C-alpha cells in the first residue's frame, strides 16, 4: 500500500523495465564477448571462459546476503522498523540462494577438468556450500506461516544468526584445511593465467550484468511480496468486518 | 470508584484472524463481572489481552493503570489468569510448581495456600501429571491464593470441579472481592455465576454486545 | 536476572531428576550412535582410532538436538511459556537458566560418552584439561544456538523437522573445532589445540550474547 504512495506505479514500472533491459543486454554481451571476443587460455583452454560468469555469480551471492543482513538489521532497529525491510530481506535471500546454487554448479563444472574432481574441500568452496544450506534453512523458516510482524522479527533474528556464522565457518574450514597439508589446488586465477585486456573488460562486464540482473530480480520479487502484503491487508479488513457481523 | 479496566475500540489479531473486533469496556475496581457468550465469541481472547499476553493492534487499553499499548509486561505480574491451560509443569509436584512460580517464597505461604484449596499430604508431593483435572485446577487456584493478584481473570473456572471445589472457588472469589480485587469470569454457567456477579457482559463476534448492571458508560458502538 | 537464571536452571534439573529423560533415553541413544559408527567403520583399530573424535562429536550433536527439543517441549506443555511471561521472569534469565541446565546435562552425557568412545575405539584420553576445556566451550556454543532456534520455532508446528535443518549448518564450526581439539589432545599436540579453543570460545560468546539480547523479543512471539 505504502509503496504506491511513495512512488507512482508507472515510474516504478519504468525503472524495472530499464533494469531488466540493462540486465538482458549485459548478459547477452557477456555471453558474446566471453565466447567469441576473448581468446582461450594458454593452459586452461576454453575452460577459462567460465571466469566471466563464476566470480560475478559469487559476487551477487555476497551482495544478496549482505543486503539480507542489512535489511534485517534495519527491521530490528526500532526506529527504522518497517515490514518492507523484511520483504526486501526475504527477496534478497531468495535471489542469493539461487545465485549461490549456480556458483556451486559452475564451480563444480570448472573443478572437474581443472582439478580432476567435482568437489574439493577448499575453504571457499566449503563455506559457499554451507552458506547455501544456511540460507535454505532461513528460507524454510520464512515459509512457516504466522503473523507478519512476528514472522518478520523471527526471520530477522535468524538472518543475524546465519550471517554472523559465515566468517566463523570460513576460518574454521581454513584452519581445518591448513592443518591437513592437503595438495594445494592450482588456483587458475592467480596461477599462470594471463588476463588479457579483452578478458578484463569482459569480466568487468559480467560483474555489471549480473549485478543488474540481481537488482532486477530483487525488484520483481519485492514487488510481488508487496502485492501479497496488500492482499493480506485487504483480507484482514474483510475478516474484521466478518467478525463484527458474527455479533449481529 | 477508579477504573480497573478501560478498553476503547480494542482490536487484536492472531495472524490475520481478528480475535477482538473493537471492544469497548470499562470495569471499576472491586467489581465481579461475568462474561458470557457462545464458543468463539472472544471471551478467552479478551482475558488473554487483559493479562498482557496478546498485543492490542488498534484502539486503547488501560489495565490497573498500565497502558498496555506501551508496556504489556508490567501488568502481567499483577493479574492472575486461570485458563484452559494450567501453566503447571507436569513433572513437578504442586508444591514444587508453587515454589517455582512464586519464585521461592516462604514455605508457610505455599503450605497455607495449598491447604486452603485442599491439596495436602501425599497429593502435594505427587507430580501434577498424575493428578486429576479437578486436583490440577485446585493447584492452579492455590497459586492464585498465594499470589493474591489485584485482577483475577478466570476462564471457565468451574469446569472440571466437583461440588466441594465449586464452593471453594466461589469462596475464593468472594474473599478476593472483599480484599478489593477485581474479578472477571468467563463462564457458560450463567445462572450460577450471576448469583454473585455484580454485572454481566455478553460477547459475540469479538465484541461486547450488551452489558447490564454496574456503571455502563460503554454500550454497543457501531464500528463502521 | 541471576535469581531467574538459578530458578530456571534448578527447575529444569528438577524436571530431569523426576523424569530421567536425559539419563535414561538420550544417553543410551548416544551410546547406540557410537556403537553404530563402530560397525560402519569396521573393526580395524587403525581406521577406528582417527575417527574417534569425530564420532564422539557427532553423537554429542545428535544428543544436543534431542536435549533442546526436550527442553523446549517442557515449556510448551500446558502453556508453561505463557506462565513464564505472566510470572515476569527475565527473558535473559530464562535463556541462561535453561542453557546452564542443558549444558550440565550434556556434560554428564559427554563424560560417559568419552569414556565409552575411548574404550571401544581404542584411544587413550590424554591432555585431560584440554579435553575438558574444549568440551565445555563447545557445549555452551551448541546449546546456545539450539535454544535460540528452539524458541524461534517454539510456536510453530514444524519444530521437530525444521530445527535440525537450521541447527546443523550453524554449528558446523563447533564440529570442526571440537574434533580438531580432540585430535590434538589425543596426539598430545596441546599447542595446536589452543587455537581451536579460542574459536570455540568466540563461537560460544557470540551466540550466548545473541541469546541474551534476543530471547525477550522471541519469547513474546511464542
Amino acid at each position: 500500500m505504502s509503496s504506491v504512495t511513495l512512488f507512482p506505479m508507472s515510474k516504478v514500472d519504468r525503472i524495472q523495465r530499464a533494469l531488466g533491459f540493462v540486465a538482458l543486454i549485459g548478459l547477452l554481451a557477456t555471453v558474446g564477448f566471453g565466447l567469441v571476443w576473448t581468446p582461450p587460455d594458454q593452459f586452461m583452454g576454453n575452460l577459462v571462459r567460465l571466469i566471466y560468469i563464476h566470480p560475478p555469480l559469487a559476487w551477487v551471492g555476497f551482495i544478496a546476503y549482505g543486503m539480507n543482513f542489512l535489511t534485517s538489521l534495519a527491521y530490528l532497529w526500532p526506529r527504522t522498523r518497517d515490514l518492507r525491510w523484511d520483504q526486501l530481506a526475504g527477496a534478497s535471500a531468495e535471489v542469493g540462494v539461487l545465485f549461490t546454487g549456480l556458483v556451486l554448479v559452475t564451480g563444480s563444472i570448472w573443478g572437474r577438468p581443472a582439478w580432476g574432481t567435482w568437489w574439493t574441500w577448499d575453504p571457499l568452496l566449503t563455506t559457499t556450500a554451507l552458506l547455501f544450506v544456511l540460507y535454505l534453512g532461513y528460507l524454510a523458516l520464512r515459509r512457516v506461516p504466522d503473523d507478519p510482524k512476528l514472522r518478520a522479527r523471527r526471520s530477522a533474528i535468524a538472518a543475524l544468526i546465519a550471517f554472523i556464522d559465515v566468517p566463523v565457518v570460513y576460518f574454521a574450514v581454513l584452519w581445518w584445511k591448513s592443518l591437513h597439508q592437503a595438495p594445494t589446488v592450482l588456483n587458475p586465477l592467480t596461477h599462470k593465467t594471463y588476463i588479457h585486456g579483452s578478458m578484463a573488460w569482459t569480466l568487468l562486464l559480467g560483474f555489471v550484468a549480473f549485478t543488474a540482473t540481481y537488482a532486477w530480480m530483487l525488484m520483481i520479487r519485492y514487488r510481488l511480496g508487496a502485492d501479497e502484503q496488500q492482499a493480506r491487508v485487504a483480507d484482514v479488513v474483510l475478516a474484521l468486518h466478518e467478525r463484527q457481523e458474527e455479533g449481529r | 470508584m477508579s477504573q480497573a479496566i478501560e478498553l476503547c475500540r480494542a482490536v487484536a489479531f492472531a495472524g490475520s484472524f481478528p480475535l477482538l473486533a473493537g471492544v469497548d469496556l470499562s470495569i471499576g475496581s472491586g467489581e465481579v463481572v461475568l462474561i458470557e457468550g457462545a464458543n468463539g465469541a472472544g471471551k478467552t481472547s479478551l482475558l488473554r489481552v487483559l493479562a498482557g499476553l496478546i498485543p492490542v493492534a488498534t484502539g486503547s487499553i488501560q489495565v490497573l493503570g498500565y497502558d498496555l499499548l506501551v508496556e504489556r509486561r508490567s501488568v502481567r505480574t499483577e493479574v492472575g489468569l486461570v485458563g484452559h491451560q494450567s501453566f503447571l509443569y507436569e513433572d513437578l509436584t504442586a508444591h514444587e510448581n508453587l515454589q517455582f512460580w512464586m519464585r521461592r517464597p516462604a514455605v508457610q505461604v505455599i503450605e497455607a495456600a495449598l491447604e486452603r484449596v485442599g491439596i495436602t499430604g501425599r497429593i502435594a508431593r505427587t507430580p501434577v501429571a498424575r493428578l486429576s483435572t479437578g486436583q490440577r485446577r485446585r493447584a492452579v487456584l492455590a497459586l492464585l491464593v498465594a499470589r493474591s493478584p489485584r485482577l483475577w481473570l478466570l476462564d471457565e473456572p468451574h469446569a472440571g470441579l466437583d461440588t466441594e471445589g465449586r464452593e471453594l472457588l466461589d469462596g475464593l472469589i468472594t474473599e478476593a472481592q472483599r480484599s478489593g480485587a477485581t474479578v472477571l469470569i468467563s463462564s457458560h454457567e450463567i445462572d450460577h455465576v450471576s448469583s454473585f456477579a455484580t454485572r454481566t457482559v455478553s460477547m459475540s463476534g469479538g465484541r461486547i454486545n450488551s452489558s447490564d448492571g454496574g456503571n455502563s458508560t460503554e454500550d454497543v458502538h457501531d464500528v463502521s | 536476572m541471576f535469581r531467574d537464571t538459578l530458578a530456571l536452571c534448578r527447575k529444569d534439573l528438577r524436571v530431569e531428576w523426576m523424569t530421567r529423560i536425559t539419563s535414561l533415553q538420550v544417553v543410551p541413544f548416544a551410546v547406540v550412535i557410537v556403537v553404530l559408527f563402530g560397525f560402519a567403520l569396521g573393526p580395524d583399530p587403525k581406521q577406528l582410532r582417527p575417527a574417534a573424535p569425530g564420532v564422539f562429536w557427532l553423537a554429542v550433536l545428535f544428543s544436543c538436538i534431542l536435549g533442546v527439543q526436550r527442553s523446549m517441549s517442557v515449556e510448551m506443555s500446558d502453556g508453561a511459556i505463557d506462565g513464564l511471561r505472566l510470572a515476569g521472569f527475565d527473558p535473559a534469565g530464562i535463556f541462561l537458566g535453561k542453557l546452564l541446565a542443558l549444558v550440565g546435562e550434556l556434560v554428564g552425557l559427554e563424560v560417559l560418552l568419552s569414556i565409552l568412545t575411548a574404550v571401544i575405539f581404542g584411544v587413550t584420553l590424554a591432555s585431560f584439561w584440554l579435553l575438558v576445556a574444549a568440551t565445555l566451550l563447545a557445549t555452551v556454543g551448541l546449546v546456545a544456538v539450539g535454544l535460540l532456534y528452539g524458541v524461534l520455532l517454539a510456536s510453530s508446528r514444524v519444530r521437530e523437522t525444521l530445527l535440525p535443518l537450521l541447527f546443523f549448518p550453524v554449528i558446523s564450526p563447533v564440529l570442526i573445532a571440537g574434533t580438531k581439539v580432540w585430535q590434538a589432545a589425543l596426539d598430545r599436540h596441546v599447542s595446536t589445540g589452543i587455537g581451536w579453543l579460542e574459536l570455540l570460545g568466540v563461537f560460544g560468546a557470540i551466540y550466548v550474547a545473541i541469546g541474551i539480547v534476543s530471547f525477550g523479543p522471541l519469547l513474546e512471539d511464542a
Side-chain angles (χ1 to χ4, degrees):
Chain A
M1 260 197 316
S2 29
S3 66
V4 181
T5 48
L6 267 183
F7 327 92
M9 224 43 180
S10 60
K11 195 174 171 190
V12 180
D13 278 336
R14 242 178 287 141
I15 295 173
Q16 182 178 319
R17 198 163 306 154
L19 257 178
F21 187 70
V22 170
L24 182 70
I25 297 291
L27 287 181
L28 284 177
T30 311
V31 170
F33 287 2
L35 289 181
V36 183
W37 185 38
T38 54
D41 182 68
Q42 195 182 348
F43 298 97
M44 310 281 297
N46 281 324
L47 195 61
V48 80
R49 299 185 195 281
L50 264 175
I51 212 177
Y52 307 123
I53 62 166
H54 181 73
L57 284 172
W59 155 256
V60 168
F62 289 133
I63 55 172
Y65 297 132
M67 180 73 138
N68 172 265
F69 176 67
L70 291 178
T71 48
S72 297
L73 274 188
Y75 183 81
L76 288 176
W77 191 253
R79 284 200 196 159
T80 51
R81 183 158 301 167
D82 190 322
L83 277 178
R84 278 176 287 172
W85 289 124
D86 172 62
Q87 276 157 22
L88 208 53
S92 196
E94 276 183 24
V95 181
V97 165
L98 174 72
F99 277 79
T100 317
L102 289 173
V103 168
L104 290 171
V105 171
T106 51
S108 241
I109 294 174
W110 179 324
R112 180 65 185 143
W115 307 331
T117 169
W118 293 107
W119 182 257
T120 166
W121 291 92
D122 168 73
L124 217 53
L125 221 61
T126 313
T127 310
T128 311
L130 254 151
L131 207 62
F132 183 66
V133 192
L134 267 175
Y135 282 91
L136 266 187
Y138 169 78
L139 290 183
L141 178 70
R142 287 192 67 91
R143 290 190 56 85
V144 178
D146 211 328
D147 178 73
K149 279 185 199 151
L150 303 188
R151 201 188 63 160
R153 192 191 300 162
R154 184 205 284 162
S155 307
I157 292 175
L160 223 71
I161 299 176
F163 191 81
I164 292 175
D165 200 43
V166 176
V168 186
V169 170
Y170 179 74
F171 283 116
V173 182
L174 192 69
W175 295 344
W176 177 53
K177 279 299 285 186
S178 64
L179 287 174
H180 251 280
Q181 293 294 321
T184 40
V185 167
L186 303 185
N187 188 339
L189 257 180
T190 55
H191 194 81
K192 289 184 193 162
T193 300
Y194 177 65
I195 298 201
H196 293 268
S198 63
M199 294 173 73
W201 284 113
T202 311
L203 182 57
L204 184 68
L205 184 65
F207 273 103
V208 174
F210 278 102
T211 308
T213 311
Y214 161 74
W216 179 66
M217 290 172 84
L218 183 68
M219 196 162 174
I220 289 186
R221 186 62 190 87
Y222 170 70
R223 291 182 66 195
L224 211 62
D227 285 352
E228 283 168 8
Q229 180 64 25
Q230 243 184 77
R232 211 176 297 128
V233 170
D235 265 358
V236 167
V237 173
L238 191 69
L240 197 57
H241 275 288
E242 280 176 6
R243 184 81 164 130
Q244 287 169 349
E245 285 304 312
E246 281 174 31
R248 278 164 214 273
Chain B
M1 183 157 49
S2 63
Q3 298 297 307
I5 294 170
E6 191 82 67
L7 274 92
C8 186
R9 305 209 164 183
V11 175
F13 291 99
S16 58
F17 179 78
L19 299 167
L20 299 185
V23 169
D24 296 282
L25 180 67
S26 80
I27 291 172
S29 357
E31 281 196 78
V32 176
V33 180
L34 162 67
I35 304 169
E36 55 115 3
N39 290 328
K43 303 187 296 293
T44 300
S45 304
L46 176 61
L47 295 184
R48 287 175 65 84
V49 164
L50 291 175
L53 286 177
I54 301 177
V56 168
T58 62
S60 70
I61 174 168
Q62 299 261 347
V63 179
L64 299 176
Y66 297 103
D67 183 352
L68 296 206
L69 284 178
V70 184
E71 36 156 16
R72 276 187 295 135
R73 284 183 60 182
S74 318
V75 81
R76 290 179 187 161
T77 47
E78 303 198 32
V79 304
L81 176 67
V82 175
H84 300 292
Q85 297 170 315
S86 71
F87 309 144
L88 297 176
Y89 289 108
E90 300 217 317
D91 303 313
L92 301 181
T93 67
H95 194 282
E96 287 166 338
N97 261 300
L98 252 68
Q99 217 172 22
F100 175 73
W101 292 115
M102 297 278 302
R103 306 166 144 210
R104 298 181 82 73
V107 182
Q108 298 93 300
V109 176
I110 297 176
E111 271 166 8
L114 284 172
E115 208 170 310
R116 178 74 183 82
V117 299
I119 292 184
T120 47
R122 194 180 46 83
I123 307 173
R125 294 192 302 273
T126 308
V128 171
R130 271 181 250 149
L131 298 182
S132 71
T133 317
Q135 285 169 327
R136 278 190 217 197
R137 183 128 294 207
R138 281 166 189 246
V140 177
L141 292 177
L143 184 56
L144 227 60
V145 170
R147 288 179 53 200
S148 61
R150 286 163 63 198
L151 175 61
W152 292 41
L153 303 169
L154 309 177
D155 197 358
E156 294 178 35
H158 292 91
L161 283 177
D162 55 17
T163 321
E164 197 190 331
R166 295 160 73 95
E167 279 164 14
L168 168 76
L169 175 61
D170 295 349
L172 291 179
I173 294 172
T174 322
E175 269 173 41
Q177 188 193 14
R178 245 181 248 139
S179 70
T182 312
V183 184
L184 265 73
I185 308 166
S186 108
S187 183
H188 294 299
E189 300 179 42
I190 299 159
D191 293 338
H192 177 69
V193 178
S194 55
S195 65
F196 55 83
T198 53
R199 74 168 150 139
T200 302
V201 164
S202 135
M203 282 188 88
S204 65
R207 290 203 289 174
I208 307 288
N209 261 0
S210 65
S211 163
D212 62 62
N215 51 341
S216 54
T217 50
E218 75 296 325
D219 246 320
V220 187
H221 287 276
D222 266 31
V223 177
S224 49
Chain C
M1 184 172 100
F2 286 112
R3 271 189 59 188
D4 291 350
T5 305
L6 278 182
L8 260 292
C9 178
R10 195 182 289 128
K11 186 267 297 173
D12 270 12
L13 290 177
R14 180 75 193 157
V15 169
E16 166 57 19
W17 178 254
M18 299 287 276
T19 58
R20 314 274 163 94
I21 298 262
T22 305
S23 50
L24 294 182
Q25 292 178 17
V26 181
V27 171
F29 168 75
V31 169
V32 169
I33 291 183
V34 170
V35 173
L36 283 182
F37 267 110
F39 291 156
L41 296 170
D44 182 4
K46 271 194 217 104
Q47 277 191 323
L48 285 180
R49 229 168 267 148
V55 169
F56 169 81
W57 281 108
L58 278 174
V60 169
L61 287 191
F62 290 125
S63 311
C64 177
I65 210 154
L66 288 185
V68 169
Q69 301 269 29
R70 165 74 191 152
S71 181
M72 286 320 296
S73 73
V74 166
E75 304 304 338
M76 296 317 290
S77 79
D78 222 354
I81 204 156
D82 284 341
L84 289 175
R85 292 160 72 194
L86 284 171
F89 279 96
D90 181 57
I94 298 176
F95 172 72
L96 289 176
K98 295 192 77 65
L99 180 92
L100 267 182
L102 197 49
V103 166
E105 289 171 25
L106 279 177
V107 164
L109 174 144
E110 285 158 351
V111 169
L112 291 175
L113 204 61
S114 55
I115 295 169
L116 177 85
T117 313
V119 170
I120 69 176
F121 280 65
V123 292
T124 331
L125 295 176
S127 323
F128 181 71
W129 289 110
L130 190 59
L131 287 183
V132 170
T135 311
L136 270 177
L137 287 176
T139 309
V140 169
L142 290 179
V143 174
V145 173
L147 284 178
L148 254 173
Y149 277 131
V151 73
L152 207 80
L153 296 170
S155 59
S156 74
R157 278 165 206 84
V158 293
R159 190 174 79 229
E160 288 82 2
T161 42
L162 196 47
L163 184 61
L165 172 60
L166 293 170
F167 177 72
F168 284 124
V170 173
I171 53 79
S172 51
V174 177
L175 175 63
I176 294 175
T179 309
K180 281 291 161 190
V181 187
W182 270 59
Q183 272 167 5
L186 299 184
D187 298 342
R188 295 188 170 78
H189 290 159
V190 177
S191 54
T192 30
I194 301 295
W196 290 108
L197 273 189
E198 284 167 13
L199 189 112
L200 287 174
V202 168
F203 186 92
I206 289 175
Y207 286 103
V208 169
I210 295 185
I212 288 175
V213 175
S214 64
F215 222 64
L218 286 174
L219 212 59
E220 287 303 307
D221 290 7

